[in-house]
Amino acid sequence: MQEINLQNAFRNIPSDLAEACSMSDDEYEELICAKENARKVERDFHDLREDCPICGNKGQVWRWDRELQMRVVSTCKCAYAKHALEVVKHAGVCMDWAEKTADSFHTPEQWQRSFKKSIVEYIAGGTGWLYVSGQSGCGKTHLCTAAFVELVGDGKSGRYTTWLDLMQKLDAAYYDSEAYLDILKPLTACTVLYLDDMFKSRNNDTISAREFSHTMRLIDARYQNPDNITLISSEWTIERLAAFDEALAGRIAERCGTNIIQIAKAEGRNYRIYSKKE
């Protein structure tokens, strides 16, 4: 975006000379800033759905500082929003991430309302890991994506990956240590990681020793940094995970604390199937 030319931006403001004459110097300067903020330019923030009512899409907000007797410019929140959108897109989240918000999650049943409430509370807190278990189609990815977008929207670095996709990539690079670390490092270094569908079954509910090793290496690396936030969705309950490997489950449970949400399996809770029957 081009820099604002102040000589042109503040020209002929205000247009009503009588209005200007009735003002103090401070009031006049405040009016100039207000009118400049209201001046709208063509939106180049193509990812934003609406014009910004604060700065007129310029990305900057002017105000008159009476104490300093000078015009002060600050970055508008729409510029931060644009940055957040770019972070989300580069994180690798699914194409329809913008539609996966807490508000867009339908809650006709009590378990859905409780699920949504827990996620909203987690987003408001913004700390600790999150573990969400439940059957396919119950909305895990929808609400975990909503939480992930909110977290990286606050300026945190983030990465998203499905567990199956990550396992395939790490398997392919298993005998090339440099390539292996190139895949793993961004996922261990980012502040927020969303690991989607952990332990998704490909072979009759079995997890290979190599898949477990990949997973443990990632979780342990993130566990070592208490500032990291890890979001995990899975069809495995935390109890099943503990029965499989206590060390892995213990690390996740410790970092999650109370942020463990488990949706009991029941007929009709796969919205991908049953919503089409309604």
Side-chain angles (χ1 to χ4, degrees):
M1 184 172 62
Q2 295 182 346
E3 294 184 0
I4 297 173
N5 185 320
L6 291 185
Q7 185 176 356
N8 293 329
F10 296 117
R11 182 177 293 165
N12 298 324
I13 301 175
S15 57
D16 188 345
L17 184 60
E19 180 184 9
C21 292
S22 66
M23 294 178 177
S24 67
D25 289 344
D26 284 330
E27 290 173 335
Y28 175 74
E29 293 291 349
E30 287 168 350
L31 178 63
I32 288 177
C33 290
K35 293 208 172 197
E36 169 55 20
N37 291 335
R39 183 177 64 87
K40 188 169 72 173
V41 300
E42 184 177 352
R43 185 171 71 247
D44 67 347
F45 296 169
H46 60 277
D47 287 317
L48 298 181
R49 303 296 187 265
E50 299 176 353
D51 287 328
C52 179
I54 299 173
C55 72
N57 307 325
K58 298 182 292 294
Q60 295 178 318
V61 180
W62 291 90
R63 70 176 179 84
W64 175 252
D65 191 309
R66 293 194 175 197
E67 183 177 348
L68 297 176
Q69 288 293 292
M70 63 182 294
R71 295 173 187 143
V72 179
V73 65
S74 59
T75 302
C76 183
K77 68 178 184 180
C78 71
Y80 293 114
K82 181 190 177 186
H83 171 71
L85 290 170
E86 291 174 347
V87 170
V88 171
K89 289 196 298 183
H90 287 118
V93 188
C94 51
M95 293 293 291
D96 62 344
W97 61 266
E99 300 173 8
K100 288 180 166 57
T101 65
D103 288 341
S104 68
F105 185 72
H106 299 300
T107 58
E109 298 186 34
Q110 177 56 41
W111 69 270
Q112 292 166 319
R113 292 190 286 273
S114 178
F115 185 12
K116 177 178 176 177
K117 180 175 181 291
S118 296
I119 291 293
V120 170
E121 289 174 349
Y122 172 75
I123 292 172
T127 58
W129 290 22
L130 174 70
Y131 188 84
V132 178
S133 70
Q135 68 195 74
S136 177
C138 71
K140 301 187 303 295
T141 297
H142 184 128
L143 286 179
C144 284
T145 298
F148 176 79
V149 170
E150 289 290 337
L151 290 172
V152 298
D154 285 338
K156 301 179 179 69
S157 61
R159 289 278 180 159
Y160 165 89
T161 183
T162 63
W163 183 80
L164 277 176
D165 183 58
L166 178 60
M167 293 302 104
Q168 291 169 354
K169 289 178 179 177
L170 291 176
D171 277 348
Y174 188 69
Y175 295 104
D176 184 340
S177 58
E178 186 174 347
Y180 187 94
L181 290 176
D182 284 344
I183 296 168
L184 205 57
K185 188 175 180 180
L187 303 179
T188 60
C190 63
T191 303
V192 183
L193 171 68
Y194 175 19
L195 182 61
D196 193 9
D197 257 340
M198 189 177 78
F199 285 4
K200 181 71 175 179
S201 173
R202 289 184 294 184
N203 302 307
N204 299 320
D205 293 332
T206 62
I207 304 299
S208 72
R210 187 178 292 181
E211 287 173 331
F212 172 73
S213 177
H214 296 328
T215 307
M216 188 64 181
R217 186 168 184 173
L218 172 62
I219 295 300
D220 191 57
R222 295 195 61 77
Y223 173 82
Q224 298 304 322
N225 186 345
D227 294 328
N228 281 340
I229 298 175
T230 307
L231 284 62
I232 302 171
S233 62
S234 178
E235 293 181 27
W236 289 37
T237 64
I238 200 73
E239 291 79 15
R240 182 183 177 188
L241 194 62
F244 179 75
D245 188 88
E246 287 190 351
L248 177 64
R251 283 165 171 75
I252 293 172
E254 179 183 343
R255 288 287 182 249
C256 286
T258 59
N259 301 323
I260 297 176
I261 304 170
Q262 306 203 91
I263 310 301
K265 188 173 183 178
E267 185 177 357
R269 290 188 175 179
N270 186 330
Y271 74 89
R272 295 192 190 98
I273 296 174
Y274 290 96
S275 64
K276 299 184 185 307
K277 294 182 179 181
E278 296 174 355

